[in-house]
Amino acid sequence: MTIDTNANAIHQNYNEFPFIVIWEVTRACALKCLHCRAEAQYKADPTQLSFEEGKRLIDQIADMNNPLFVFTGGDPLMRPDLFQLAQYAIHEKNLAVSMTPSATPKVTKAAVEEAKRVGLSRWAFSLDGSNAKIHDYFRGTNGSFDRTMKGISYLKELRIPIQINTTVSNYNIDDLERISEVVKDMGAVLWSLFFLIPTGRAQQKDMLTPHQHEEVMNWLVGVQEKMPYHVKATEAPHYRRVFLQNKQTATSSRRGNHSDNRSVDLEKPQKRTDILGRAPKGVNDGDGFVFISHTGDVYPSGFLPVKCGNVREQSLLDIYQQSPVMKALRNKSLLKGKCGQCEFKNICGGSRARAFAVHGDYLASDPSCGYIPATIT
């Protein structure tokens, strides 16, 4: 199947449709990850969306300008009808579907072959350490690292594009350089870094300081330039600001002009494309992004636990467009503190999930950002 999402995305208005939709198909999972947003359990919730309810949800998602669509969990492979749902989304509704299963014994070659058969666009594995000692501790399960590597070998053999997700925290900040090399060696197309939000099982003490966030993002600019894969930062929208500042500094140096990098052109889009397409502008909680829980509750993201509605009672499109919470999150003029004063707020806006987790206010300043806006200095 040919996937071309860029043409629609370039003209997309996030007030109308999201760029990406995440569905937590189940909360069942065999792992006990230290940072688990979902606080996943070993058995599925009996009230999770049924197969028919899942199909109706997929119908609604397809009518939202065909956004990127991700099955997550828990562990999606714990859902017996997972591949039936994927086939319906891909073949009946022409959606680009990826998923993020856990590295458990359910990741068999047969499961990967079935993913290939139904036309899965990408399979994402989590890798939170460059070796078993770090990764397995983070995942709370011995053998997780080895199963991840075995699963990746199946993906490579069957030529399914590989995405690697890494949660950045104090547990692995000193291992990121080594992880970046492992990601290259396995031939991944995308390294997606999730900057920890203290929600679910994750603790605030595990979160990076503002200085550490800045250091990691500046380092990531270099990784993006030198590595063959793409780099994406989740719950770190200020990475776009750091990226633009670095580009402006490099341009000024080449021209012998050492002017203040605050003069960077904020309107010029920074795009890199791949098989699934990349957002032409920043995606943030509730702003281009929407999350549906296993029971149909709708949230701005999986990391921002402020319920906006339920798909059993209301259409997903109506919730996304009309929820007061969603509308507020898309209105950057409502941001408070230094986020509200920042000249980069329209391309960044700060992590609304982290602001809520730390301050209890999703419009407050992102506590992970160390940048001082020009209006304050």
Side-chain angles (χ1 to χ4, degrees), residues 75-342:
D75 177 10
L77 289 176
M78 295 284 278
R79 182 156 180 148
D81 57 6
L82 176 72
F83 290 116
Q84 291 172 273
L85 288 165
Q87 178 155 331
Y88 180 76
I90 295 166
H91 294 280
E92 299 297 324
K93 294 299 175 178
N94 199 35
L95 286 165
V97 180
S98 62
M99 69 174 180
T100 60
S102 301
T104 72
K106 286 188 173 294
V107 180
T108 62
K109 187 173 182 181
V112 178
E113 287 173 337
E114 183 66 2
K116 175 81 171 182
R117 185 191 69 78
V118 300
L120 200 75
S121 296
R122 182 177 301 165
W123 186 306
F125 272 120
S126 292
L127 185 68
D128 297 301
S130 62
N131 56 60
K133 181 179 179 181
I134 299 173
H135 176 87
D136 288 0
Y137 176 76
F138 199 83
R139 291 283 149 184
T141 305
N142 290 332
S144 177
F145 180 85
D146 291 340
R147 291 192 188 102
T148 297
M149 292 304 169
K150 187 66 174 177
I152 288 169
S153 72
Y154 296 147
L155 297 177
K156 292 173 71 172
E157 180 181 346
L158 294 168
R159 298 185 179 180
I160 295 178
I162 302 166
Q163 174 179 326
I164 297 299
N165 297 339
T166 299
T167 298
V168 181
S169 72
N170 281 319
Y171 289 110
N172 60 4
I173 186 172
D174 295 328
D175 195 40
L176 292 177
E177 182 79 54
R178 289 183 290 273
I179 295 173
S180 73
E181 294 294 335
V182 172
V183 173
K184 180 181 72 172
D185 292 343
M186 64 180 53
V189 298
L190 176 68
W191 188 24
S192 183
L193 295 96
F194 291 71
F195 286 72
L196 185 139
I197 303 292
T199 190
R201 293 189 192 128
Q203 303 295 311
Q204 192 166 333
K205 64 180 178 61
D206 304 329
M207 189 173 73
L208 303 189
T209 65
H211 178 70
Q212 287 173 318
H213 274 91
E214 202 79 4
E215 282 191 328
V216 172
M217 289 181 201
N218 275 288
W219 171 74
L220 277 178
V221 172
V223 172
Q224 182 162 303
E225 290 301 313
K226 72 179 182 181
M227 290 298 186
Y229 51 78
H230 302 302
V231 172
K232 176 175 171 288
T234 298
E235 292 300 348
H238 31 321
Y239 177 59
R240 282 183 170 249
R241 184 256 306 165
V242 172
F243 183 85
L244 289 173
Q245 287 178 311
N246 273 271
K247 286 297 184 184
Q248 177 69 18
T249 299
T251 300
S252 296
S253 296
R254 287 195 298 269
R255 295 174 178 173
N257 176 10
H258 302 288
S259 61
D260 189 340
N261 62 18
R262 296 181 196 275
S263 64
V264 64
D265 181 2
L266 304 184
E267 300 304 319
K268 185 177 180 180
Q270 300 292 324
K271 292 195 299 174
R272 299 180 70 174
T273 58
D274 57 29
I275 188 172
L276 286 180
R278 297 297 295 276
K281 62 177 183 176
V283 172
N284 209 331
D285 305 297
D287 186 10
F289 193 107
V290 67
F291 178 93
I292 305 100
S293 81
H294 62 299
T295 58
D297 288 335
V298 178
Y299 300 94
S301 80
F303 300 100
L304 180 48
V306 178
K307 181 179 171 180
C308 299
N310 188 286
V311 296
R312 284 172 165 153
E313 303 164 357
Q314 191 178 3
S315 77
L316 180 61
L317 180 61
D318 189 44
I319 295 169
Y320 179 79
Q321 291 182 343
Q322 301 303 325
S323 161
V325 174
M326 297 279 196
K327 292 171 75 173
L329 289 166
R330 293 193 289 269
N331 185 352
K332 300 300 186 286
S333 69
L334 297 180
L335 294 176
K336 302 174 184 177
K338 68 176 185 179
C339 278
Q341 300 179 58
C342 186

Side-chain angles (χ1 to χ4, degrees), residues 25-28 41-49 79 294-295:
V25 295
T26 184
R27 278 206 175 170
Q41 307 299 318
Y42 291 128
K43 294 184 178 180
D45 185 333
T47 65
Q48 71 184 21
L49 295 181
R79 182 156 180 148
H294 62 299
T295 58

